[in-house]
Amino acid sequence: MATKSKANKPVTVKDVFKNKFTPYTLLNPDGTLNGPAPDLSPEQLQAMHRVMVEARVFDERAVNLQRQGRLGTFAPLSGQEAAQVGSAFALRKTDWLFPSYREHAACALHGQPWLDILKYWGGNEDGSRVPDDVNIFPVAIPIATQIIHAVGAAWAAKIQGKDDATLVFFGDGGTSEGDFHEGLNFAGVFKTATVFLCQNNFYAISLPRESQTSSESIAQKAISYGIEGIQVDGNDVLAMYQMTKEAFDRGRAGEGPTLIEAQTYRYGPHTTADDPTRYRDSAEVDQWKERDPIERLKNYMISQSIWDDGKEEALWEDVRAQMAKVVEDYEALPERPVEEIFKYTFEEMPWHLEEQLAELKDFIAEYGNPNEGHH
Ligand SMILES: Cc1ncc(C[n+]2csc(CCOP(=O)(O)OP(=O)(O)O)c2C)c(N)n1
C-alpha cells in the first residue's frame, strides 16, 4: 500500500504514476504517515475533519428522514468522505466542481449550503439552484454526462486565458460510458486543467467492479488518452489532497489533466431504494470500516497534539445540533406546488408535459397528493 518517499522529498504524482497500479497511501489507519505531511495548517486539518463529520451526520439524518417518509430517495455517501473532502479541499474558490449525485461533502466544502442539498433530495427545485458565488454545477443523474461538461468548462477557461481548473466526480460504473471516453480524450488533446476524480467504491449499484471492466485498474485507462492516471487510497484524506493539489497545479500550468482513481467504499446502500445485503457481505463492509476516513484523520490530529477526545466529542455534538437545525429549516419550508416538477426545462411547456401535468392533477383530485408533507 505505502509508497516510500526518497530522502525527505514529498511524493509527487509522477512518483506514484510509476507504480500506477498500487494505491498511494500517505496516512495510515493508525494515524502515522508514510512520508512528509502536506502543507496544511492545524486549522485546515480541523476544517477538513469538520466537513467529514458534517457529511457523516447529514447522511444519517437524511437516511432516517427518508425511512420515515419525510424525504424522497437519498444517495448516502458515508465511507467516501475523504475522497471527496481531500480532493475538493484543493479547489480554489474560482474553480468549478461537477458533482454526480453522491458528492454532498465536496459540494458543502465548496460552498453549497446543507439546506440546499436537503432541498434537492426533497424534490424542491430550489435545491438545484447553486448560490451565485459558488461554482458548482447541478447534480448530474445521467451517469458520466458531467465529465464532458467539466472538460468543456476547463477548455473555456483556457481559451479565456484563466487558470481555473475543474474537478469532476464519477463512479467506477461511469467509466463504462461513452462520455468518459470522449471527455478524457478531448481533455488529453486540449490539455485542459481537469481532474477526473473516479470514486471507485467497487460497485455500480449491485454490479461489482470486476464485472464493470476487465481493466486491472481504472487508473490505467488514462494511459490510452495520453494523460496521467494514479490510484490513491480514497480513505486517506491527506493523500487525496496532496495528489489533487498537485494535479491542479500541473493543470493550471498547462501540463494537462489527471485521472485519479480513489479507492473507497460506501457503507450504505447505493440509494435508499437499494438493498446492499442482496449483493455483498457484511464482513466486507466491516473490513472497510476498519479503514474509516474520519477515524484516520482524527488519529493523525491527536498524534500531532492538535486534537483530543474532548474536542472530538464536542465537535460531534455541535454538528448534530447544526444538522438538527438544517432539518428543522427544511421541514419549515412551505409545500411546493406540483407544477414545479414540469416547469424548469422549457420556457414554454410543450404539449406532452401539459398532458402529463393535467393527468397528475386529475390523479391528485381523485386520490390526494402522494407528495404531501414534502418540502
Ligand atoms: C446514463 C445512465 N444509465 C443508467 C443510469 C442508472 N444508474 C444510476 S446510478 C447507476 C450506477 C452508477 O455506478 P457508479 O458510476 O459506480 O457510481 P456510484 O453510484 O457507485 O457512485 C446506474 C446504472 C443512469 N442514472 N444514467
Side-chain angles (χ1 to χ4, degrees):
M1 270 284 185
T3 307
K4 287 258 155 50
S5 71
K6 288 192 202 82
N8 210 28
K9 263 183 78 210
V11 176
T12 66
V13 167
K14 271 220 177 309
D15 297 331
V16 178
F17 184 53
K18 279 178 202 143
N19 49 32
K20 54 194 169 294
F21 307 132
T22 310
Y24 169 57
T25 300
L26 175 60
L27 174 59
N28 298 309
D30 64 0
T32 56
L33 293 182
N34 296 317
D39 191 15
L40 288 165
S41 67
E43 292 72 29
Q44 285 176 310
L45 291 167
Q46 286 160 7
M48 281 178 158
H49 185 56
R50 178 165 184 119
V51 184
M52 298 205 324
V53 172
E54 284 178 1
R56 183 69 59 93
V57 174
F58 178 83
D59 228 44
E60 213 176 87
R61 289 305 312 259
V63 170
N64 288 343
L65 286 175
Q66 193 280 336
R67 297 300 188 224
Q68 294 164 16
R70 292 154 70 190
L71 190 76
T73 310
F74 178 72
L77 71 91
S78 286
Q80 301 189 198
E81 294 89 351
Q84 296 186 20
V85 170
S87 56
F89 209 83
L91 285 165
R92 299 190 313 205
K93 181 86 183 151
T94 51
D95 295 332
W96 281 89
L97 170 58
F98 293 77
S100 69
Y101 42 75
R102 205 186 297 286
E103 278 70 60
H104 323 312
C107 290
L109 182 61
H110 204 43
Q112 189 168 29
W114 284 110
L115 178 59
D116 285 5
I117 300 172
L118 202 53
K119 280 185 201 167
Y120 173 84
W121 292 101
N124 181 331
E125 295 293 333
D126 284 349
S128 291
R129 186 178 291 135
V130 180
D132 284 347
D133 62 339
V134 173
N135 289 354
I136 303 178
F137 253 56
V139 163
I141 295 287
I143 302 298
T145 50
Q146 70 278 19
I147 296 178
I148 43 182
H149 302 159
V151 175
W155 192 31
K158 194 171 180 177
I159 291 168
Q160 289 167 4
K162 296 179 188 162
D163 69 349
D164 293 334
T166 59
L167 174 64
V168 56
F169 288 95
F170 50 91
D172 38 304
T175 64
S176 298
E177 289 284 351
D179 286 347
F180 170 79
H181 161 76
E182 289 158 29
L184 268 72
N185 188 59
F186 218 79
V189 169
F190 292 99
K191 288 198 183 308
T192 65
T194 312
V195 172
F196 298 98
L197 207 300
C198 177
Q199 288 179 94
N200 174 9
N201 61 13
F202 295 94
Y203 291 93
I205 314 184
S206 55
L207 191 80
R209 154 64 188 84
E210 307 76 59
S211 313
Q212 187 64 244
T213 170
S214 62
S215 290
E216 203 183 317
S217 71
I218 303 288
Q220 75 194 58
K221 291 173 185 271
I223 297 168
S224 51
Y225 305 106
I227 70 177
E228 279 165 25
I230 54 170
Q231 279 185 330
V232 179
D233 179 341
N235 284 14
D236 172 351
V237 72
L238 299 185
M240 286 303 302
Y241 169 74
Q242 184 185 11
M243 289 297 130
T244 314
K245 172 76 170 58
E246 201 206 312
F248 277 151
D249 289 347
R250 287 185 305 105
R252 294 185 209 289
E255 291 170 37
T258 306
L259 170 64
I260 297 178
E261 175 190 348
Q263 298 196 333
T264 184
Y265 198 80
R266 64 166 155 76
Y267 296 154
H270 168 74
T271 66
T272 45
D274 168 48
D275 174 9
T277 61
R278 294 177 61 180
Y279 56 84
R280 66 181 198 191
D281 243 24
S282 67
E284 184 181 287
V285 184
D286 293 343
Q287 240 175 10
W288 277 91
K289 285 188 175 170
E290 281 165 26
R291 309 165 47 76
D292 185 72
I294 298 180
E295 279 292 302
R296 212 189 276 200
L297 180 58
K298 183 194 84 179
N299 291 342
Y300 174 64
M301 294 200 302
I302 291 175
S303 80
Q304 297 300 297
S305 310
I306 59 166
W307 201 247
D308 56 44
D309 289 337
K311 283 184 177 146
E312 181 72 7
E313 211 173 298
L315 171 69
W316 282 82
E317 206 172 304
D318 191 46
V319 170
R320 286 207 172 96
Q322 176 193 352
M323 291 307 161
K325 177 81 173 63
V326 168
V327 172
E328 197 183 304
D329 291 350
Y330 162 73
E331 294 204 309
L333 291 169
E335 248 176 58
R336 309 296 290 245
V338 292
E339 282 84 355
E340 286 204 341
I341 55 176
F342 296 93
K343 257 188 170 174
Y344 299 112
T345 307
F346 301 98
E347 193 174 349
E348 273 177 40
M349 203 180 289
W351 63 268
H352 64 283
L353 289 188
E354 269 177 11
E355 267 186 23
Q356 288 175 28
L357 176 59
E359 202 177 314
L360 180 61
K361 281 186 169 166
D362 286 350
F363 178 91
I364 289 171
E366 200 169 338
Y367 300 104
N369 185 354
N371 201 38
E372 215 148 58
H374 287 177
H375 306 265

